[in-house]
Amino acid sequence: MSAAIEIKGLSKHFGAKVAVNDVTFNVEEGHCYGLIGPNGAGKTTTFSMMCGFLFPTSGTIRVLGLDPTEPGVLKQKVGVLPQDAILPPMWPVGELLTYYGELSGLPNAESEAKAALERVQLPETWNVQAGALSHGMHKRVSMAQALMGSPPIIFLDEPTAGLDPKIAASVRGVIRDLKGKHTVVVSSHNLQELEELCDATAILDKGKLVSASTMAELTGQMAEFRVQIARGQVPIDELKALTGVKDAKVEANNVLCVSFDSVAVQPEEIITRAVGLLATKNVLFLTVWRGKRLEERVLALT
Amino acid sequence: MEDFSEIGAIWRGETRRALRSGRVLVLLILFLLFVGLALTVVGFFNHQLNAKFDQQMAMAGADLSQAREQLAAGKKQFLQTFVTEDPAMLDSLAAIPIVLLVVFKLTLRFLPLFIALMGFDQLAGEVGPKSVRYLVVRVKRSSIILGKLLSQVTLFAILMSICTVMMVMVAKVLNTEFAAADVALWTGKLIISSMVLSLAYLSLTALFSALVKQGGISLVLNVIALFVIWFVALIGEAVRFPGEVAAEGTLAMLKAESAFAYLRYASVWHFGDDLLHPHWGRFLTAALVHVGFGLAFLGLAQLALRRRDL
């Protein structure tokens, strides 16, 4: 798999303020990639540099091998949902999307616009002025323009921020559909959402990269699992004696954590044997999950 | 080729948007009303003067053609004092009705300010709310500037054509001796000269709109720049060139000689009058100066937008 986006030593200064500081990571082709970090971490600045909106102070970015700051190179190659970018209010949505399609050089701009609106479940807004859309509708129309022409890379900055749960779920459904067919870069504060959608992530904090890895590596899915114990005495020594188990301990809130050697044993084998052992020892449990929650990892790293 | 299609798409889109925008429509209507008002006031006085003149001549039983010649000489003297000292230009302007000349000149004086009011937020208005980001991933930044400029040029071409036709029609009604051939000639000439004049100021407005994020700041800077352009021309024209001889009975006689006279060439405003010059050489020079200033402002706008964060 080759890198769709390569970022090397990227920095961005706004006067004396360093928004992004020497960040390096790659986004593999076909991956759904998450940009994670607290407010002011530099996610949107990094995102904006990848889209060619902002010029890096130093470092390089290559999007499909191209420098995004070069004029017009991203045409038909990327679709972007920028954060807080307002759609021109006087335009009817359909006409606006058709206009964007024409600017992208799409041969059937109007039908592309209609299809994109269908995809975000807003065909009824075709004749509605962009200025009259609610926040959620505005976000989805913005998403529709990013999907038009089916570009190989799609950037989504906070795609579900401020949306009600039902609409957010439908947006996540759209992103899930994009996986594998497009390279998708998603910036979000919703870690559960990113954990569910992303193959890999970069975690930023105060402008610096604190982690860039696959989701499985980040959450330790290949190295540990946890069991929420309801009742019973956990047989720690017997668990430790299982082949491939490196350690077993009960953490806070009665959560059993078992770490294992993923080279010696497959996760599904060790999890099945461990919960089997618990069952035979009359230990009742509620849930089993692999690795740590992304939220825990992010909180530990930032 | 792709650049042309991008520019064309932006031009069409922006023109549609401008025609749909309430503010632009209100400004266009206000400008038309301004021209209409100027025509009414100047036309009324012109009509009254003509009527009174004819009445007095009739009562005195004077030779009307001789009296008209005297009136034409008086008009020429007025033009020489207040408009131009150039003999060829004087003859040319003296041949058109005074109402047309006065209202057209008045319109041109306010045109740069009106252009600033119309276009100050063409780019700044998209950078602030970041809607420009939907464009820059699709087209070159240079295409955005050129497409928007072409849209403004189109609006002004329509506006100035309507205004000029209005002026010429009123002038024709008030001055029956204004021949049909002259009507056609001056209609074309006035439209062309106002469009050439607009190019420099449209580019200036594009420059300030490309420089800043807030539309309001863009407008203020634009108006300051217009004031500087006008003031530089004023200083340059308030004095005579060293060694220049002033003609009798002209305002030039009151002016002192100074090297500051060369300053007038630094201002595009100074060349505006020559856009009505009957000699092609003078007209072309003035037109080229306007296009040159326009290209310089446009080049700076391109440079500013190309290297700035959006």
Side-chain angles (χ1 to χ4, degrees):
Chain A
M1 199 178 270
S2 62
I5 301 168
E6 294 167 274
I7 292 178
K8 217 177 276 178
L10 187 69
S11 296
K12 178 68 183 175
H13 301 183
F14 294 108
K17 182 180 159 44
V18 182
V20 174
N21 190 1
D22 195 24
V23 166
T24 300
F25 64 86
N26 288 350
V27 178
E28 301 299 327
E29 209 177 303
H31 264 185
C32 182
Y33 198 90
L35 276 181
I36 302 172
N39 288 335
K43 300 187 300 291
T44 295
T45 305
T46 305
F47 185 95
S48 299
M49 286 191 279
M50 285 193 269
C51 300
F53 304 148
L54 302 180
F55 288 83
T57 306
S58 60
T60 57
I61 308 176
R62 288 289 174 271
V63 176
L64 297 173
L66 304 163
D67 177 357
T69 61
E70 286 296 316
V73 294
L74 297 182
K75 188 177 187 135
Q76 293 189 354
K77 294 190 174 64
V78 306
V80 184
L81 164 62
Q83 192 191 8
D84 302 333
I86 295 168
L87 293 165
M90 299 304 291
W91 287 79
V93 168
E95 204 176 312
L96 180 63
L97 294 191
T98 306
Y99 173 51
Y100 287 156
E102 284 169 6
L103 293 184
S104 295
L106 303 179
N108 303 307
E110 190 173 332
S111 55
E112 281 278 353
K114 281 185 177 152
L117 273 183
E118 292 276 356
R119 210 161 168 189
V120 297
Q121 297 167 22
L122 282 177
E124 70 277 11
T125 59
W126 185 263
N127 291 315
V128 177
Q129 284 202 333
L133 296 171
S134 68
H135 173 75
M137 285 177 163
H138 186 282
K139 189 75 116 183
R140 282 190 286 161
V141 170
S142 293
M143 185 147 180
Q145 63 78 34
L147 304 178
M148 281 171 63
S150 206
I153 300 183
I154 295 172
F155 293 99
L156 305 170
D157 197 358
E158 303 277 3
T160 57
L163 301 184
D164 68 53
K166 196 175 167 190
I167 301 297
S170 81
V171 168
R172 277 195 291 277
V174 173
I175 299 172
R176 216 173 285 119
D177 286 345
L178 298 172
K179 279 181 74 170
K181 300 170 209 154
H182 305 260
T183 303
V184 184
V185 179
V186 189
S187 152
S188 177
H189 283 297
N190 187 335
L191 299 178
Q192 198 181 336
E193 173 178 284
L194 291 179
E195 188 174 0
E196 181 195 328
L197 293 170
C198 295
D199 304 299
T201 62
I203 300 176
L204 299 167
D205 187 30
K206 297 184 184 107
K208 287 192 169 177
L209 182 76
V210 292
S211 160
S213 60
T214 65
M215 190 62 80
E217 285 167 356
L218 180 66
T219 56
Q221 286 179 10
M222 300 303 288
E224 63 188 34
F225 66 91
R226 284 173 169 74
V227 182
Q228 177 68 61
I229 304 297
R231 280 204 303 275
Q233 190 63 42
V234 177
I236 292 290
D237 292 336
E238 287 172 63
L239 281 169
K240 282 181 179 173
L242 292 173
T243 311
V245 171
K246 293 203 295 203
D247 192 22
K249 61 187 176 198
V250 177
E251 297 174 336
N253 300 322
N254 221 14
V255 172
L256 168 66
C257 175
V258 179
S259 49
F260 57 91
D261 180 356
S262 60
V263 178
V265 63
Q266 290 299 305
E268 60 271 26
E269 288 172 23
I270 189 67
I271 291 171
T272 307
R273 278 193 272 131
V275 296
L277 176 64
L278 292 175
T280 58
K281 297 290 177 185
N282 292 323
V283 178
L284 304 183
F285 53 89
L286 296 165
T287 49
V288 180
W289 68 93
R290 287 168 65 193
K292 265 191 172 180
R293 290 277 176 235
L294 178 61
E295 187 176 348
E296 291 174 56
R297 291 295 295 153
V298 171
L299 288 175
L301 287 167
T302 60
Chain B
M1 203 61 197
E2 195 182 313
D3 284 3
F4 288 123
S5 93
E6 276 182 3
I7 294 166
I10 293 174
W11 167 60
R12 286 191 300 275
E14 289 299 321
T15 307
R16 276 203 305 271
R17 177 160 84 153
L19 290 174
R20 197 179 286 136
S21 151
R23 186 174 64 86
V24 171
L25 279 180
V26 166
L27 281 170
L28 289 175
I29 291 167
L30 280 178
F31 194 75
L32 282 171
L33 284 176
F34 163 74
V35 173
L37 184 69
L39 276 172
T40 309
V41 173
V42 179
F44 174 76
F45 282 113
N46 184 226
H47 178 71
Q48 292 294 96
L49 279 173
N50 283 345
K52 201 163 187 178
F53 177 79
D54 288 348
Q55 192 185 17
Q56 282 180 352
M57 288 302 110
M59 281 171 68
D63 180 352
L64 207 60
S65 62
Q66 197 181 359
R68 286 208 184 282
E69 272 171 31
Q70 278 177 0
L71 187 68
K75 180 181 168 186
K76 219 167 174 179
Q77 184 60 49
F78 168 80
L79 291 175
Q80 190 179 23
T81 308
F82 294 105
V83 181
T84 179
E85 292 157 18
D86 185 305
M89 183 85 148
L90 202 56
D91 286 340
S92 170
L93 294 183
I96 62 171
I98 196 83
V99 63
L100 181 58
L101 182 65
V102 170
V103 177
F104 184 73
K105 283 266 180 191
L106 202 61
T107 307
L108 288 197
R109 290 290 175 256
F110 284 98
L111 197 62
L113 184 63
F114 186 72
I115 286 171
L117 284 170
M118 280 273 290
F120 69 92
D121 61 349
Q122 57 186 286
L123 286 158
E126 295 234 46
V127 176
K130 295 181 184 168
S131 54
V132 73
R133 290 184 169 191
Y134 295 114
L135 302 180
V136 291
V137 290
R138 295 182 160 87
V139 294
K140 290 178 182 169
R141 295 178 181 212
S142 56
S143 302
I144 298 173
I145 291 185
L146 288 172
K148 283 177 177 276
L149 182 76
L150 274 182
S151 158
Q152 297 278 313
V153 169
T154 306
L155 290 176
F156 274 92
I158 296 168
L159 177 72
M160 289 313 297
S161 299
I162 296 171
C163 289
T164 308
V165 168
M166 267 169 61
M167 290 177 216
V168 174
M169 278 167 61
V170 171
K172 172 71 183 154
V173 169
L174 293 175
N175 299 270
T176 45
E177 68 274 20
F178 192 31
D182 284 339
V183 168
L185 176 76
W186 279 98
T187 304
K189 207 169 173 178
L190 296 182
I191 290 174
I192 290 170
S193 58
S194 59
M195 284 315 298
V196 173
L197 183 122
S198 303
L199 286 178
Y201 297 102
L202 284 165
S203 301
L204 182 74
T205 299
L207 168 62
F208 285 107
S209 198
L211 277 175
V212 295
K213 263 186 186 177
Q214 288 86 11
I217 295 174
S218 156
L219 179 61
V220 170
L221 291 177
N222 199 340
V223 172
I224 291 171
L226 288 178
F227 182 76
V228 170
I229 287 170
W230 170 77
F231 196 63
V232 167
L234 187 75
I235 293 171
E237 290 167 5
V239 290
R240 272 189 289 162
F241 289 109
E244 185 188 356
V245 181
E248 279 296 321
T250 63
L251 280 182
M253 287 183 70
L254 304 173
K255 297 176 184 174
E257 287 182 27
S258 166
F260 276 121
Y262 292 103
L263 210 53
R264 66 184 71 173
Y265 296 127
S267 170
V268 67
W269 186 277
H270 169 71
F271 299 90
D273 286 342
D274 272 3
L275 290 172
L276 291 175
H277 206 284
H279 293 166
W280 280 102
R282 291 284 293 272
F283 167 77
L284 280 177
T285 305
L288 285 175
V289 168
H290 278 82
V291 171
F293 270 101
L295 288 176
F297 295 145
L298 199 59
L300 290 172
Q302 296 277 19
L303 205 65
L305 197 68
R306 190 183 153 86
R307 294 307 310 167
R308 70 173 290 197
D309 290 337
L310 293 173

